[in-house]
Amino acid sequence: SEIPRRHSLEFVGYRCPVVDAKGALSPNTMQELRKYMDIRNPMPCVIKNLPLFQRSVDSWDVEYLAQHMGDQLYHTFASSRDEKRFAYFFDERNEGGYEAPPIAEACKMTFKEFVQKQRDPKDGRAYYLQTPVLRYEGDQVTCAKFDERLEADLHAMDNKMMQQLAEL
């Protein structure tokens, strides 16, 4: 039997362009990025080897994040492990009242639970972490609270380089 497609046909065969920054935001790299960041015709691209968050690149892996992301609940979606389809909608945002059969189940869990469930195939499901920087407290959605070390990692971003990218 044929495995069902995971992506719409319009995405098949398309590759996102890759720009290699070679460790710096040089004039050549900036020139190459300008064609993707034109506000009249923006296009996605992957920028590799750009030390924008170097501290996170050097230290972050799944175990590190599980240790430092805390015990707050994150919005997560569950789907069949075979299909791994995570299309979703939110009833409260469906202002037109369109009928949309659920494809993935919305759930909330800690990052540690997400990692554990993703690694354990016993329940036959795959999981997608929707909002790793937001957290839920009852009906309130706020910014996630990480421990001091992860907060410091996030604040170690190269703001000058981010500003240069924003100005393209």
Side-chain angles (χ1 to χ4, degrees):
S1 86
E2 188 176 319
I3 297 174
R5 283 195 185 276
R6 290 186 51 209
H7 309 288
S8 173
L9 282 175
E10 64 194 45
F11 295 118
V12 174
Y14 177 78
R15 282 203 147 164
C16 196
V18 177
V19 175
D20 187 349
K22 299 178 180 132
L25 195 53
S26 69
N28 289 343
T29 301
M30 289 177 67
Q31 181 64 35
E32 191 172 353
L33 288 172
R34 276 191 184 91
K35 64 184 168 189
Y36 301 110
M37 299 192 178
D38 181 346
I39 60 171
R40 294 174 306 259
N41 188 28
M43 294 175 48
C45 70
V46 173
I47 307 170
K48 69 178 192 176
N49 298 318
L50 185 66
L52 189 59
F53 284 99
Q54 195 59 47
R55 191 159 145 180
S56 60
V57 169
D58 292 341
S59 59
W60 288 12
D61 59 20
V62 173
E63 284 72 27
Y64 181 91
L65 293 173
Q67 180 181 356
H68 298 285
M69 285 181 70
D71 291 324
Q72 62 234 344
L73 297 176
Y74 295 100
H75 203 123
T76 310
F77 288 94
S79 179
S80 156
R81 189 168 284 279
D82 293 331
E83 289 189 17
K84 295 182 182 172
R85 295 182 66 106
F86 297 104
Y88 61 90
F89 74 97
F90 296 99
D91 283 327
E92 62 271 10
R93 295 183 192 159
N94 187 1
E95 295 163 355
Y98 299 103
E99 186 176 331
I103 294 172
E105 176 191 342
C107 45
K108 294 182 175 96
M109 63 184 73
T110 66
F111 187 76
K112 287 178 188 174
E113 290 170 329
F114 167 75
V115 171
Q116 180 183 6
K117 286 179 177 282
Q118 192 69 343
R119 287 180 172 164
D120 185 5
K122 289 179 189 167
D123 70 357
R125 303 176 90 183
Y127 295 88
Y128 171 69
L129 187 65
Q130 172 68 18
T131 53
V133 295
L134 300 177
R135 67 185 169 102
Y136 294 83
E137 288 182 357
D139 291 338
Q140 297 289 333
V141 180
T142 63
C143 291
K145 291 183 181 176
F146 305 125
D147 71 8
E148 289 180 16
R149 186 158 179 188
L150 192 57
E151 286 284 341
D153 290 348
L154 292 169
H155 290 290
M157 175 179 69
D158 185 330
N159 289 312
K160 181 181 176 195
M161 190 178 295
M162 182 59 84
Q163 184 63 37
Q164 289 175 300
L165 285 170
E167 291 171 358
L168 290 176

